[in-house]
C-alpha cells in the first residue's frame, strides 16, 4: 500500500521530511485544488527525491501538455490527471508523460530524478519511462465508470484513482460513501483494475478506517491518499483549542 499525504497549503519543503517521519511513502502535491505554483511543486518534489519519498503532482484539468512537461521536468515522478472520462483521455495522459516511442514528451537534460547529473538520452528515456513517469488517471464521473474497461486497458496507465467526492456527486449521492450506487461504482473500478493489471487508488475519504479496510481487503486498493495538510492542521488546531478551552 502506497500511503500518500496531500499537500495543498504548505509550501515549505520541510513538509516532505515530516511526511517521511510519519511513515508516508509519497507526497500528493495538489496543483488542481490549491494556489501552489509549478515552482512550489518542483521544490517539494526535489525535497522528496532527496529523502526517498515519491513525489506525485496532480495537475489542473485540461492544463495542457506544456504544463505537464514543466511538472515532470521539475522533479515529479508521476502525474495525476483529474477527470479522465475516456480511453482517449487516458492515452493523451500517457503520451505527454512518456518519451518516444511510448509518448511525445520533449527531451531535456540534468533532470532532478537523475540528481541533475548529465545522462545520455537512451538512459533518460529507458529509466524515466519505466519508473519516473507514473500515469495516474482520476475516475470521477458516470462516463468514466461506463468507460472503465477501456480506460483500464490503456497501455502506460499505472493507477486508476477514484476521486470519491466528485464521483459521489456525479452519481447523485454527494458525500454518501455508503450508498450502494457508489460502492458498485468502486467495485467496477476494482474489477477493471484486476482484469488489466492496474493499481486501484482511493482519494477523498479520510479518517474512515472501516471503509479503508473494505477498500484494501475487498477492492484491492493499493494507493491511498490518506489526508491533506490542510485537514491535519485544522484537526490539530481544533483539538488544541478545545483542550485549552476545557482548562
Amino acid at each position: 500500500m502506497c500511503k500518500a499525504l496531500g499537500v495543498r497549503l504548505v509550501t515549505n519543503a520541510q513538509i516532505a521530511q515530516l511526511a517521511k517521519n510519519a511513515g508516508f511513502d509519497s507526497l500528493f502535491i495538489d496543483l488542481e485544488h490549491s494556489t501552489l505554483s509549478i515552482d512550489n511543486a518542483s521544490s517539494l518534489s526535489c525535497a522528496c527525491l532527496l529523502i526517498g519519498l515519491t513525489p506525485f503532482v496532480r495537475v489542473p484539468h485540461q492544463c495542457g501538455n506544456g504544463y505537464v512537461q514543466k511538472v515532470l521536468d521539475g522533479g515529479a515522478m508521476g502525474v495525476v490527471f483529474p477527470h479522465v472520462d475516456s480511453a482517449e483521455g487516458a492515452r493523451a495522459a500517457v503520451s505527454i508523460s512518456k518519451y518516444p516511442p511510448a509518448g511525445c514528451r520533449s527531451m531535456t537534460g540534468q533532470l532532478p530524478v537523475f540528481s541533475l547529473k548529465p545522462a545520455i538520452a537512451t538512459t533518460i528515456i529507458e529509466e524515466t519511462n519505466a519508473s519516473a513517469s507514473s500515469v495516474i488517471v482520476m475516475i470521477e464521473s458516470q462516463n468514466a465508470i461506463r468507460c472503465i474497461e477501456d480506460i483500464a486497458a490503456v497501455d502506460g496507465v499505472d493507477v486508476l484513482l477514484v476521486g470519491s467526492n466528485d464521483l459521489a456527486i456525479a452519481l447523485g449521492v454527494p458525500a454518501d460513501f455508503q450508498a450502494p450506487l457508489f460502492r458498485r461504482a468502486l467495485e467496477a473500478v476494482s474489477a477493471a483494475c484486476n482484469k488489466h493489471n492496474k493499481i486501484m487508488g482511493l482519494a477523498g475519504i479520510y479518517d474512515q478506517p472501516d471503509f479503508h479496510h473494505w477498500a484494501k481487503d475487498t477492492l484491492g486498493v493499493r494507493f491511498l491518499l490518506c489526508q491533506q495538510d490542510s485537514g491535519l492542521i485544522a484537526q490539530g488546531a481544533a483539538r488544541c483549542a478545545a483542550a485549552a478551552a476545557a482548562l
Side-chain angles (χ1 to χ4, degrees):
M1 172 74 76
C2 178
K3 306 178 296 299
L5 172 64
V7 176
R8 59 182 298 272
L9 184 68
V10 176
T11 59
N12 191 308
Q14 291 179 93
I15 188 68
Q17 187 65 65
L18 292 174
K20 176 79 170 181
N21 294 347
F24 287 98
D25 307 296
S26 168
L27 284 193
F28 183 100
I29 302 161
D30 192 355
L31 301 186
E32 183 192 19
H33 291 297
S34 78
T35 59
L36 298 183
S37 67
I38 290 176
D39 188 53
N40 294 146
S42 179
S43 295
L44 292 166
S45 294
C46 290
C48 287
L49 294 173
L50 290 172
I51 61 173
L53 283 185
T54 302
F56 296 120
V57 176
R58 176 162 66 177
V59 297
H61 183 43
Q62 296 180 340
C63 61
N65 289 0
Y67 193 99
V68 174
Q69 176 80 57
K70 286 177 175 288
V71 165
L72 287 167
D73 288 352
M77 294 189 71
V79 179
V80 182
F81 293 88
H83 307 291
V84 174
D85 296 333
S86 65
E88 181 182 11
R91 284 192 289 269
V94 172
S95 181
I96 185 52
S97 300
K98 304 293 183 182
Y99 292 114
C104 65
R105 180 179 173 185
S106 178
M107 177 61 66
T108 188
Q110 293 179 285
L111 292 163
V113 294
F114 289 92
S115 301
L116 301 183
K117 296 175 182 177
I120 61 173
T122 52
T123 298
I124 294 173
I125 291 169
E126 181 179 351
E127 294 188 13
T128 304
N129 279 1
S131 60
S133 57
S134 296
V135 176
I136 302 171
V137 299
M138 294 198 70
I139 306 302
E140 306 182 85
S141 69
Q142 292 191 55
N143 196 62
I145 297 299
R146 284 192 290 267
C147 298
I148 199 65
E149 281 275 348
D150 294 336
I151 293 171
V154 173
D155 288 338
V157 168
D158 297 291
V159 181
L160 273 62
L161 176 63
V162 174
S164 300
N165 286 291
D166 280 338
L167 180 58
I169 290 170
L171 294 172
V173 290
D176 186 0
F177 304 128
Q178 302 299 331
L181 185 61
F182 179 78
R183 290 194 169 225
R184 286 197 297 270
L186 265 61
E187 288 166 352
V189 177
S190 174
C193 287
N194 289 334
K195 180 177 178 180
H196 296 285
N197 195 31
K198 308 297 186 185
I199 295 169
M200 181 176 177
L202 183 68
I205 300 176
Y206 309 131
D207 305 316
Q208 297 190 35
D210 289 343
F211 193 99
H212 288 159
H213 277 297
W214 175 72
K216 175 180 177 291
D217 298 336
T218 302
L219 299 178
V221 164
R222 293 295 177 265
F223 180 93
L224 184 65
L225 180 59
C226 300
Q227 200 23 297
Q228 303 221 37
D229 57 356
S230 55
L232 293 176
I233 293 169
Q235 291 172 5
R239 285 194 300 267
C240 183
L247 293 175

